[in-house]
Amino acid sequence: MRDTIRFKHDSIRTEQANPDWIRRFILFHAKRHPAEMGAPEVEAFLTHLATGGCYAR
């Protein structure tokens, strides 16, 4: 993942933040592998964040 971020010339902060968000996504879905999930799981996670389930730092 870090190699892809660097290839796209994204910021170092993006490189640092993405692994944390990925970890939160996986933990929110009871440690399921991201390859097993799709749009409904992403929507559920984003809804959880938007409704106060977690606050951005």
Side-chain angles (χ1 to χ4, degrees):
M1 178 193 65
R2 291 179 197 267
D3 291 338
T4 301
I5 291 170
R6 288 182 184 179
F7 179 77
K8 292 173 53 181
H9 303 290
D10 286 343
S11 74
I12 189 73
R13 182 65 184 114
T14 300
E15 182 179 331
Q16 294 168 343
N18 278 354
D20 187 47
W21 283 111
I22 293 168
R23 184 181 67 72
R24 290 178 191 199
F25 177 74
I26 292 169
L27 292 175
F28 177 76
H29 289 291
K31 299 184 180 180
R32 288 175 52 205
H33 193 279
E36 300 172 356
M37 297 184 267
E41 288 82 6
V42 172
E43 183 178 346
F45 181 64
L46 293 176
T47 300
H48 170 73
L49 295 176
T51 59
C54 180
Y55 298 101
R57 295 179 198 173

